[in-house]
Amino acid sequence: SVACIYASSDPQLYRNMMLTLRVNESYDRATLTRELVFRQYTRNEMDFKRGTFRMKGDVVEIMLGYRDDYYIRLEFFGDELERISEVDPLTGTTKQSYTLYHIFPANEYARNKEDILIACDKIEEELEERLSYFEDNQKLLEHQRLKQRTDFDLEQLRETGFCKGIENYSQHIDGRRDDQRPFNLFDYFPDDFLFVVDESHVSLPQVRGMYNGDRSRKTTLVEYGFRLPSALNNRPMTFDEFSDIYPQGIYVSATPGDYELDLVNHEVIEQINRPTGLLDPEIEVRPTNGQIDDLCHEIDVRLQRNERTLITTLTVRMAEDLSEYLRKRKYKVGYLHHETKTLERIEILRQLRLGTIDIIVGINLLREGLDLPEVSLIVILDADKEGFLRSTRSLIQIVGRAARNVEGKVLMYADRLTGSMEAAIEETNRRRKIQEAYNKEHGITPKTIKKDIREAIHGIETKEDSLKLLKKSVKVSKKAKARTLDDLRNQMREAARVLDFERAAQLRDILFELENE
């Protein structure tokens, strides 16, 4: 995800903190305990969670700091390590055994004692300088706030090598200069790697925005004495740093942005021909006068063919009013908006595919990532209102949602033809001609995509519990919530294991929302 450009630890220092264990070698139990504590693992016999270990006789069990779907069991005979195995925390069954195992630190900022003490001295120097600034400017509250917090963090760092929010001191811990960017995931790759950006027209603007958003938030924290100025260097990369960090890249998008096009002088590699032979949909522009009656007629045509319709509006008010009007006319309508939760959104789209819903009305929902073969009609209201939602790129993305059905068609209701509309229509027709020529040359007859209709969450009980968690009016116990979240995590991991990444990503999004409820 775009978060990979965020600050991380020095890969070399992190690698140096790796603890390597080998079967048939001797390890003093007290020394092993110190080594684990040194790497930020804590002993906990009761609450066995990430970053903890426990000792029972000749057995040491470690829950790694970076995963919890298994833990490591070390079995000793005296001081000799006899067996290393991965164990399922739920069933207690052994998953795999090893003769050698590398244990990484529980926290990425784990360091040896000498490095931490050196960093503490630098933090103290910066603290004195900042406190003098607050004192000179009569900012006594900020002075007291910063001194109290930083002194507490320094005491923890010197005693345990760790403190809450340790990443805010990463500049001193890594020994970086003020003008040196933080380490991040890219630094863990070798010099020669390939960087692929999917949906680049959306991803790259997010990269630009991350630095600015982070800087704005942390500047406030620094100004009011919540953090030292060096916390500003625990940050995402700037866009210039991001552009220079990878040796070679591929940007993938149906509608590349100006940045990507300028990089290659507008010379792009096109992959337009679909093996299914499906053409980009026909686009028809119709006047707004009488548009709702005309729209209802087109919906009726689709219903007779057991096909579905998507309608995109410009405003929430219009979407709500149109949904209500269509319901009064006995259409089965779903409504998607910005507050619709992931689980609810997935369920509405599933009902559309099943035919429980005939129409979905929404605003900015018909763009990237929607794959609905049953949809043969997309309606764009207020198509001539220039802006982000009716720009050339947005229109092309919306039109593409109808390219999964052989009967795909797009209706634009407008009173004039804008530059964005003309460009989108011209580009879609160009792609249609290329596909038509390809189909004719290879004797391909276009066929609608056949795609299974599946539920994101398996199990009626888990699905019902998940929906309860989303409803604030329904009280759910902590135990029930934990059980539901564990079940969803297991389903997500299983989906990823069988390479069903689409479902795994849906479950991940549902988990994030439920965890925050």
Side-chain angles (χ1 to χ4, degrees):
S1 71
V2 174
C4 70
I5 70 169
Y6 209 88
S8 186
S9 179
D10 182 340
Q12 188 55 51
L13 293 175
Y14 186 68
R15 191 180 293 113
N16 292 341
M17 292 292 291
M18 182 175 66
L19 175 63
T20 301
L21 300 171
R22 293 181 175 84
V23 170
N24 298 327
E25 290 198 4
S26 295
Y27 298 93
D28 177 68
R29 207 70 54 84
T31 304
L32 177 60
T33 301
R34 282 195 294 271
E35 290 291 340
L36 289 172
V37 171
F38 176 52
R39 288 161 177 79
Q40 301 304 326
Y41 287 90
T42 57
R43 184 171 179 175
N44 193 325
E45 304 291 340
M46 302 297 292
D47 187 14
F48 195 39
K49 58 185 180 181
R50 283 191 182 196
T52 63
F53 69 97
R54 59 191 181 192
M55 307 179 79
K56 301 176 183 176
D58 287 337
V59 176
V60 178
E61 295 175 335
I62 307 165
M63 185 68 79
L64 301 173
Y66 38 92
R67 61 190 310 160
D68 54 12
D69 53 333
Y70 63 80
Y71 64 84
I72 304 303
R73 177 181 289 162
L74 309 177
E75 298 175 37
F76 289 86
F77 183 76
D79 285 343
E80 184 177 327
L81 180 57
E82 283 195 321
R83 191 181 185 200
I84 304 172
S85 51
E86 289 178 353
V87 181
D88 188 301
L90 182 64
T91 63
T93 55
T94 300
K95 301 175 77 170
Q96 198 163 346
S97 295
Y98 299 86
T99 57
L100 178 146
Y101 204 90
H102 300 299
I103 296 177
F104 287 94
N107 181 279
E108 61 183 316
Y109 290 104
R111 293 287 186 276
N112 61 52
K113 193 74 173 179
E114 293 75 18
D115 288 343
I116 289 294
L117 291 177
I118 291 171
C120 286
D121 291 339
K122 292 179 180 177
I123 293 169
E124 265 189 336
E125 289 177 16
E126 185 184 9
L127 175 63
E128 291 302 320
E129 189 178 314
R130 189 64 176 170
L131 291 178
S132 297
Y133 166 80
F134 283 140
E135 200 170 333
D136 294 342
N137 288 272
Q138 296 296 306
K139 294 186 175 183
L140 302 183
L141 178 61
E142 287 83 351
H143 180 285
Q144 174 63 18
R145 183 184 287 145
L146 184 64
K147 179 174 173 54
Q148 187 177 27
R149 178 168 200 152
T150 310
D151 284 347
F152 179 74
D153 288 347
L154 284 168
E155 187 176 351
Q156 275 200 310
L157 282 169
R158 287 187 168 118
E159 290 297 323
T160 67
F162 182 77
C163 71
K164 190 175 181 181
I166 189 173
E167 65 275 3
N168 291 293
Y169 303 112
S170 61
Q171 180 180 348
H172 298 303
I173 293 171
D174 291 338
R176 288 185 280 111
R177 303 184 309 273
D178 288 345
D179 61 345
Q180 187 177 354
R181 68 163 179 80
F183 296 99
N184 57 60
L185 186 61
F186 284 99
D187 295 298
Y188 287 76
F189 282 85
D191 292 336
D192 186 25
F193 66 93
L194 175 64
F195 183 45
V196 182
V197 182
D198 192 24
E199 302 290 6
S200 61
H201 66 287
V202 175
S203 301
L204 294 179
Q206 288 179 352
V207 173
R208 288 183 185 274
M210 277 194 72
Y211 173 81
N212 295 329
D214 180 83
R215 186 80 180 186
S216 175
R217 180 176 62 86
K218 285 191 177 149
T219 298
T220 302
L221 294 177
V222 170
E223 284 180 359
Y224 289 93
F226 289 98
R227 286 294 176 194
L228 290 169
S230 59
L232 293 170
N233 278 331
N234 171 47
R235 59 173 178 79
M237 288 185 287
T238 64
F239 194 77
D240 288 340
E241 290 169 341
F242 168 81
S243 302
D244 294 338
I245 202 168
Y246 57 91
Q248 53 207 347
I250 297 176
Y251 296 133
V252 182
S253 174
T255 53
D258 293 335
Y259 172 78
E260 303 96 287
L261 293 173
D262 290 342
L263 274 181
V264 296
N265 295 320
H266 290 252
E267 295 180 8
V268 299
I269 298 171
E270 292 188 319
Q271 292 181 299
I272 291 176
N273 295 322
R274 300 180 177 93
T276 57
L278 281 171
L279 304 171
D280 278 72
E282 292 181 352
I283 301 176
E284 189 176 334
V285 181
R286 295 183 181 178
T288 59
N289 187 31
Q291 62 181 1
I292 302 302
D293 289 336
D294 185 66
L295 167 61
C296 290
H297 169 72
E298 291 293 340
I299 292 172
D300 291 336
V301 172
R302 268 70 196 174
L303 290 178
Q304 290 172 7
R305 300 200 302 241
N306 193 29
E307 296 168 354
R308 318 286 183 267
T309 302
L310 297 179
I311 305 172
T312 176
T313 69
L314 264 185
T315 65
V316 173
R317 177 72 179 273
M318 178 63 176
E320 291 174 343
D321 290 347
L322 180 59
S323 299
E324 187 62 30
Y325 175 80
L326 292 174
R327 286 193 189 100
K328 288 179 180 178
R329 292 193 57 159
K330 307 303 181 185
Y331 292 110
K332 294 177 286 185
V333 183
Y335 171 46
L336 290 182
H337 50 87
H338 66 285
E339 292 183 355
T340 304
K341 301 290 186 181
T342 301
L343 180 55
E344 295 170 327
R345 184 177 190 270
I346 292 170
E347 185 59 25
I348 289 172
L349 293 176
R350 181 173 171 274
Q351 288 176 8
L352 179 78
R353 296 197 61 203
L354 288 169
T356 310
I357 292 174
D358 299 321
I359 308 159
I360 288 183
V361 181
I363 305 172
N364 190 23
L365 62 107
L366 309 182
R367 301 183 69 229
E368 304 84 2
L370 273 186
D371 191 5
L372 305 167
E374 293 78 12
V375 172
S376 65
L377 176 64
I378 287 182
V379 178
I380 305 175
L381 300 179
D382 295 315
D384 54 352
K385 301 295 189 295
E386 284 274 24
F388 173 71
L389 294 179
R390 298 294 181 264
S391 66
T392 302
R393 291 190 179 93
S394 291
L395 289 174
I396 292 174
Q397 288 287 346
I398 294 171
V399 167
R401 300 314 103 198
R404 273 70 173 168
N405 191 296
V406 72
E407 301 289 343
K409 186 173 184 177
V410 174
L411 292 180
M412 294 183 180
Y413 286 99
D415 291 325
R416 63 191 181 95
L417 204 60
T418 65
S420 296
M421 290 171 63
E422 280 188 297
I425 294 169
E426 184 181 336
E427 176 61 17
T428 302
N429 289 337
R430 183 184 74 87
R431 295 179 183 183
R432 276 182 64 86
K433 289 177 182 177
I434 293 173
Q435 183 72 59
E436 283 174 338
Y438 182 84
N439 291 352
K440 186 176 181 180
E441 181 183 349
H442 295 86
I444 297 174
T445 302
K447 294 181 181 179
T448 299
I449 292 173
K450 299 295 182 185
K451 184 180 176 184
D452 293 337
I453 304 174
R454 302 174 299 169
E455 291 199 43
I457 298 177
H458 292 168
I460 295 173
E461 185 179 346
T462 305
K463 184 176 179 180
E464 289 177 348
D465 288 344
S466 300
L467 288 169
K468 284 179 183 177
L469 286 172
L470 289 172
K471 295 178 181 177
K472 295 180 180 178
S473 59
V474 180
K475 290 187 177 180
V476 180
S477 68
K478 289 184 178 179
K479 189 174 181 181
K481 180 177 181 179
R483 184 182 66 243
T484 301
L485 293 177
D486 285 342
D487 194 16
L488 289 174
R489 286 191 194 96
N490 291 334
Q491 290 190 31
M492 178 182 68
R493 293 190 186 107
E494 178 59 23
R497 189 185 70 78
V498 298
L499 308 184
D500 188 356
F501 298 118
E502 183 179 353
R503 179 167 170 261
Q506 290 176 341
L507 288 166
R508 176 204 61 198
D509 293 342
I510 293 169
L511 267 169
F512 284 159
E513 287 183 352
L514 294 182
E515 286 170 344
N516 292 327
E517 286 295 322

